[in-house]
Amino acid sequence: MDVSVFNPTAVPVVHPTAQGVERVSQDLRSVYRSGKTKTFDWRVSQLKALLKITTRHEKDIFEALRSDLNKSENDAYLHEVYRVSESCKLALKELPRWMMPERVETSMINFPSSAEIVSEPLGVVLVISPWNYPFVVGAIAAGNAVVLKPSEVSPATSSLLSNLLGEYMDPSAVKVVEGGVPETTALLEQKWDKILYTGNSNVGRIILTAAAKHLTPVVLELGGKCPAVVDSNTDLVIDALSSELENFYGKDPMQSKDLSRIINSRHFDRVTKLLDDKKNSGKVVIGGQWDRANLKIAPTVILDAPEDSLIMNEEIFGPLLPIVTVDKIEDSFGLINSKGKPLAAYLFTNDKKLKEEFIRNVSAGGMAINDTVMHITEPTLPFGGVGESGMGAYHGKFSFDTFSHKKAVLQRGFAVDADIRYPPFTPGKVKLMRALLTGDILGIPRALIGW
Ligand code: NAD
């Protein structure tokens, strides 16, 4: 990837030392306090800059994702470029409405009064993310100063983000800190007003512990197992999977240029260990090949893996699909609910009643019926985990809300201040207070009086 066109000397380099990280946090806090990031104009300018990155540097983004993951251009466009640019466009279109205080009703006890919910930025936020800019979209749209910590396991994407954000965005309020565990640890020692972390649940626990020290709220987008339930009345069975996989990747998937690779050898070894587990032997019905030198694993289907096998208990996060057969489809709901709550759960069926039961009885961060993953492409739907798959949600307006504080504002005048709120609490005052609160004045229902 050629990043020289970005003129690296013009990019403010953040030195990822402990002092460097502390300075980043202090600088951002003073910029935030100046009020610069809260203005509508600043937010719009930054969203436009981000949009510009996706249009001008589409090819560079493809190259970085190809270099880190051998991700196909199609996938990179749909899940990265398109999603980021759509998020920016939506935020630019809706921002005036999102920023507008929301008027709400007030009760008789405060008469006369008005009330509104004001969305205010949280302050300086830390986003620890692999390669998803939409987090930054929400953080900026909500008027925060932001530190983005891309993942060191995707070095090309990390370096590209650092260069592009450095060149296009306001460097005083949006910074990228690159590095690995020591840098993330140093970042976590600082006080932030929100931390959004995407990654595995072990590090998720470290993030939550560090945040607790500063009472910092967190959004954790974690992993886990995402089950798919397939009704035997559909034709999605092993033969169909086999022929579709051949359509996708040819007879030898290891030779396919469209097969993404595993991000690094640590993850490669983790995934192949699930296949190597003795308890799984003899059950591979599709795929099963791997190539450590090129970090590639063929899409692999494993039939009836025992419940105590590694693959049925560890997070997979790789191209393996264990299939478990159940006698009654409802048994699958119990199986899913007996494990940690997944980030997503899927059902394939045409049975309307079964769909309703699945939605009602299976707990998951999100769901797609007769598809996988695509629910995350809808900005009208919140994306986030529940239980062991995480906490908090984002996408579209949910991203704006995630990075905003909803400030309750009640406004009153000086004209009326009923003394029934104050001592001495005579029987008459108590009666009047109750009547005002319940609307039960002289036995006339509140609805008839009109409040
Ligand atoms: P990773 O190794 O890239 O780590 C993520 C971040 O955590 C990095 O910035 C890293 O520096 C930091 N980190 C790692 N170890 C740390 C430590 N001991 N202390 C402090 N910081 C530390 O992440 P990964 O585990 O390779 O990512 C894969 C995981 O992410 C999977 O579990 C997957 O399910 C999950 N994931 C979730 C989502 C989602 O949206 N919910 C999306 C993508 C990935």
Side-chain angles (χ1 to χ4, degrees):
M1 180 182 48
D2 176 16
V3 290
S4 58
V5 287
F6 306 128
N7 182 13
T9 52
V11 174
V13 178
V14 171
H15 296 289
T17 59
Q19 289 104 320
V21 162
E22 192 179 350
R23 205 170 51 243
V24 166
S25 138
Q26 285 166 355
D27 289 354
L28 285 178
R29 200 157 291 284
S30 78
V31 168
Y32 176 73
R33 286 200 182 116
S34 76
K36 181 186 195 183
T37 64
K38 293 184 186 177
T39 66
F40 177 76
D41 288 349
W42 183 85
R43 301 185 203 197
V44 167
S45 71
Q46 297 308 296
L47 290 168
K48 283 186 175 165
L50 210 47
L51 189 57
K52 211 179 272 177
I53 290 176
T54 64
T55 47
R56 285 200 191 160
H57 295 280
E58 189 179 280
K59 286 267 170 301
D60 300 306
I61 296 168
F62 291 163
E63 271 184 52
L65 289 164
R66 178 68 80 178
S67 158
D68 285 334
L69 287 153
N70 194 38
K71 200 170 205 173
S72 70
E73 212 170 285
N74 207 46
D75 267 5
Y77 178 74
L78 177 64
H79 292 294
E80 318 293 341
V81 173
Y82 171 77
R83 271 183 56 205
V84 177
S85 65
E86 285 306 294
S87 301
C88 287
K89 285 179 197 163
L90 181 76
L92 282 165
K93 181 167 156 262
E94 298 291 338
L95 197 58
R97 216 161 50 87
W98 292 351
M99 287 176 69
M100 205 180 294
E102 184 192 340
R103 290 293 289 259
V104 289
E105 285 186 3
T106 56
S107 59
M108 206 47 204
I109 189 75
N110 289 315
F111 180 83
S113 67
S114 66
E116 57 193 11
I117 302 167
V118 176
S119 292
E120 71 173 15
L122 292 167
V124 185
V125 301
L126 170 63
V127 176
I128 306 175
S129 148
W131 43 79
N132 322 41
Y133 325 148
F135 308 150
V136 187
V137 175
I140 288 166
N144 298 282
V146 186
V147 176
L148 176 69
K149 162 66 184 66
S151 176
E152 69 276 22
V153 301
S154 49
T157 313
S158 175
S159 141
L160 183 70
L161 278 173
S162 175
N163 284 311
L164 289 179
L165 295 192
E167 180 172 315
Y168 284 83
M169 317 274 307
D170 173 359
S172 72
V174 179
K175 292 187 189 288
V176 178
V177 172
E178 286 195 89
V181 176
E183 289 72 23
T184 316
T185 306
L187 282 165
L188 289 173
E189 272 157 24
Q190 303 300 314
K191 177 178 165 51
W192 307 99
D193 297 301
K194 189 141 202 174
I195 301 174
L196 189 152
Y197 169 78
T198 303
N200 68 74
S201 52
N202 291 333
V203 177
R205 286 182 176 85
I206 294 173
I207 307 284
L208 202 51
T209 307
K213 208 165 71 188
H214 299 288
L215 287 180
T216 297
V218 296
V219 175
L220 297 178
E221 293 299 341
L222 307 178
K225 301 182 93 61
C226 294
V229 175
V230 182
D231 187 352
S232 54
N233 291 334
T234 63
D235 54 5
L236 297 168
V237 288
I238 293 168
D239 289 345
L241 265 177
S242 177
S243 75
E244 275 314 307
L245 283 171
E246 195 173 318
N247 286 342
F248 291 172
Y249 302 111
K251 281 215 175 315
D252 181 2
M254 306 304 280
Q255 304 305 321
S256 167
K257 66 172 180 33
D258 289 324
L259 185 71
S260 296
R261 66 177 175 81
I262 307 296
I263 188 88
N264 59 20
S265 51
R266 176 172 64 89
H267 279 288
F268 182 91
D269 292 342
R270 183 185 57 74
V271 177
T272 49
K273 192 170 150 219
L274 302 177
L275 270 179
D276 241 357
D277 180 16
K278 290 288 167 282
K279 288 182 180 132
N280 285 336
S281 58
K283 303 275 186 179
V284 171
V285 287
I286 299 174
Q289 312 94 307
W290 68 69
D291 169 4
R292 196 172 191 280
N294 292 306
L295 298 177
K296 289 205 171 185
I297 302 176
T300 298
V301 178
I302 300 134
L303 193 57
D304 285 330
E307 225 186 300
D308 61 346
S309 58
L310 276 184
I311 201 163
M312 287 304 292
N313 290 284
E314 303 277 316
E315 178 181 20
I316 298 174
F317 208 54
L320 313 184
L321 178 69
I323 295 180
V324 175
T325 315
V326 287
D327 292 335
K328 289 200 296 334
I329 198 151
E330 291 76 14
D331 293 349
S332 63
F333 301 178
L335 190 62
I336 297 169
N337 288 336
S338 71
K339 314 238 176 211
K341 293 184 179 181
L343 185 63
Y346 308 109
L347 171 69
F348 293 86
T349 186
N350 283 317
D351 184 331
K352 188 166 174 278
K353 193 162 155 278
L354 191 63
K355 288 179 196 172
E356 285 166 7
E357 278 176 21
F358 185 75
I359 295 167
R360 197 173 47 244
N361 294 323
V362 172
S363 184
M367 286 182 166
I369 311 287
N370 294 333
D371 206 337
T372 59
V373 185
M374 297 309 282
H375 61 297
I376 76 172
T377 62
E378 288 299 336
T380 47
L381 291 174
F383 171 64
V386 58
E388 283 168 50
S389 54
M391 56 187 78
Y394 62 101
H395 280 193
K397 168 85 162 35
F398 302 99
S399 298
F400 176 87
D401 290 342
T402 282
F403 285 105
S404 301
H405 165 59
K406 301 291 170 187
K407 189 159 68 181
V409 181
L410 178 74
Q411 296 207 40
R412 302 197 67 217
F414 295 113
V416 181
D417 190 11
D419 70 351
I420 56 169
R421 290 200 305 175
Y422 307 107
F425 296 115
T426 61
K429 279 188 184 177
V430 171
K431 206 169 161 191
L432 185 55
M433 169 76 92
R434 279 174 176 256
L436 283 172
L437 289 176
T438 60
D440 188 10
I441 299 174
L442 301 172
I444 306 168
R446 176 150 59 183
L448 287 183
I449 311 172
W451 48 271

